[in-house]
Amino acid sequence: MKYRSISEAAAAFHIPESTLRYYEKQGLLPLMERDEAGRRLFSDNQMALLGTVIRLKNTHMPISSIKRYIDWILEGESTLEKRLEMMNKHKQTVLDEIALMTESLAGIDVKITNYTKRIQERRSEDKLMREEEQ
Amino acid sequence: MKYRSISEAAAAFHIPESTLRYYEKQGLLPLMERDEAGRRLFSDNQMALLGTVIRLKNTHMPISSIKRYIDWILEGESTLEKRLEMMNKHKQTVLDEIALMTESLAGIDVKITNYTKRIQERRSEDKLMREEEQ
DNA sequence: TGTTGACTTAAACCATGGTTTAAGTCGTAT
DNA sequence: ATACGACTTAAACCATGGTTTAAGTCAACA
């Protein structure tokens, strides 16, 4: 079993060490192992759990909910249904958010098209004026 | 030109009135008109601008950036290129974020599949046990 | 042996994006 | 005339999600 230091774990996920310490304090990284000097040791299991935490964070699940999910994992098999329900609900929340972003982006695209058009028109007028000057 | 009260504008976009007041104070809703009693009047133009602000907000553009964009609109035609560039960059940011969410969601989907499988297996064991009890 | 560099902690600090409160002004219906 | 609801303001307050600081410990290398 390979163990990683906090700096290695942080580098692996491209996040600051301070965030990892913060996550542990919030209960998102329970049962952390330590070496004799008190330094955190990230096992493969911890790395996998951290990956899950980061996926949930990437999809905007609040820390309090991630915590609830982690607590259910610690509780064992009896919470399987709760975890499944939570992930299913979260999935729908994420799909809704992606849909909203996609929809809003369409409106922004209209702006892009219009700005491009207006800038192009202005260039054409310039060109026309230059020709009239001839 | 139809004018709307703050409550009508808020209802139209499903956001609190307090948020509209906050946005105005942040400079996202400039040139607000008022009636004799000092109450805000949302013109069609303001409603359209508010729609743009909300689309940018929905796609997670920070208030400070939205403010910069609004200021450029106020400055007039000379900022067309800046606005176009900003919207293009923002579009890419949003696409990247959607990609990250979609990717992370795929990892969450694996969890959903596994939980579903484990729960199903547990049910099968239960069934098997019930049959052995017979 | 002493001085780096990587780590530790608790607590303070920060940015972002609002929301709530308190006190007051209008317009209108009773 | 008054009471109600819708509005106004400035300022205080709040939640979220970290980041930074200060002071200390430890391992390894010169």
Side-chain angles (χ1 to χ4, degrees):
Chain A
M1 180 103 75
K2 192 187 172 188
Y3 283 100
R4 275 158 238 250
S5 67
I6 194 171
S7 61
E8 289 168 334
F13 287 103
H14 307 105
I15 59 174
E17 300 174 15
S18 64
T19 301
L20 292 180
R21 297 197 182 97
Y22 170 71
Y23 284 174
E24 190 195 0
K25 196 179 287 182
Q26 299 309 306
L28 310 190
L29 299 173
L31 312 177
M32 279 296 300
E33 300 179 58
R34 305 290 181 118
D35 70 7
E36 320 73 44
R39 286 170 296 201
R40 290 167 184 81
L41 293 175
F42 288 77
S43 68
D44 291 352
N45 256 330
Q46 286 291 337
M47 292 298 283
L49 188 61
L50 177 52
T52 298
V53 166
I54 287 175
R55 271 188 288 280
L56 294 175
K57 179 200 84 149
N58 284 344
T59 51
H60 307 148
M61 182 182 282
I63 300 253
S64 57
S65 303
I66 302 180
K67 166 98 167 77
R68 190 151 38 94
Y69 174 67
I70 299 293
D71 286 348
W72 279 337
I73 291 179
L74 294 180
E75 260 187 79
E77 298 288 308
S78 68
T79 60
L80 276 181
E81 283 87 353
K82 287 176 186 172
R83 285 184 255 164
L84 176 58
E85 189 194 354
M86 186 187 212
M87 288 304 114
N88 269 322
K89 279 192 181 150
H90 180 57
K91 178 180 178 178
Q92 193 52 55
T93 302
V94 175
L95 290 176
D96 289 350
E97 192 183 344
I98 290 176
L100 178 62
M101 291 179 77
T102 303
E103 203 179 299
S104 302
L105 194 53
I108 291 169
D109 251 328
V110 171
K111 292 250 160 223
I112 291 178
T113 304
N114 286 341
Y115 285 147
T116 304
K117 210 172 294 178
R118 283 163 69 182
I119 289 171
Q120 196 46 246
E121 276 165 15
R122 218 173 48 185
R123 295 240 162 87
S124 304
E125 284 168 24
D126 287 355
K127 200 184 165 192
L128 198 61
M129 285 168 71
R130 275 199 301 282
E131 282 176 12
E132 284 172 349
E133 280 164 7
Q134 310 258 327
Chain B
M1 179 103 75
K2 191 188 173 185
Y3 282 101
R4 276 159 237 251
S5 68
I6 194 170
S7 61
E8 289 168 334
F13 288 102
H14 306 105
I15 60 176
E17 299 175 16
S18 63
T19 301
L20 292 180
R21 296 196 184 97
Y22 171 71
Y23 284 173
E24 190 195 1
K25 195 179 288 184
Q26 298 311 305
L28 310 190
L29 298 174
L31 312 177
M32 280 296 300
E33 300 178 58
R34 306 289 181 121
D35 68 8
E36 321 72 45
R39 285 170 297 199
R40 289 166 185 81
L41 293 175
F42 288 76
S43 68
D44 291 351
N45 256 330
Q46 286 291 336
M47 292 298 283
L49 189 60
L50 178 51
T52 298
V53 167
I54 287 174
R55 271 188 288 281
L56 294 175
K57 180 199 82 147
N58 284 344
T59 51
H60 308 149
M61 181 181 282
I63 301 251
S64 57
S65 303
I66 302 180
K67 165 99 168 76
R68 188 150 40 92
Y69 175 67
I70 299 293
D71 287 347
W72 279 339
I73 291 178
L74 294 180
E75 259 187 80
E77 298 287 308
S78 67
T79 61
L80 274 183
E81 282 88 352
K82 287 175 187 174
R83 285 184 255 165
L84 175 58
E85 189 195 353
M86 186 186 212
M87 289 302 115
N88 269 321
K89 281 190 178 151
H90 180 57
K91 177 181 179 178
Q92 193 52 56
T93 302
V94 176
L95 290 176
D96 289 350
E97 192 183 345
I98 290 176
L100 177 62
M101 292 180 76
T102 302
E103 204 180 299
S104 302
L105 194 53
I108 291 168
D109 250 329
V110 171
K111 292 251 161 224
I112 290 178
T113 304
N114 287 339
Y115 285 147
T116 304
K117 209 173 294 177
R118 284 165 69 183
I119 289 171
Q120 197 46 245
E121 277 165 15
R122 218 173 48 184
R123 297 240 162 88
S124 304
E125 285 168 24
D126 288 355
K127 200 184 164 191
L128 198 62
M129 285 168 73
R130 275 199 302 281
E131 282 176 11
E132 285 171 348
E133 280 164 7
Q134 310 259 323

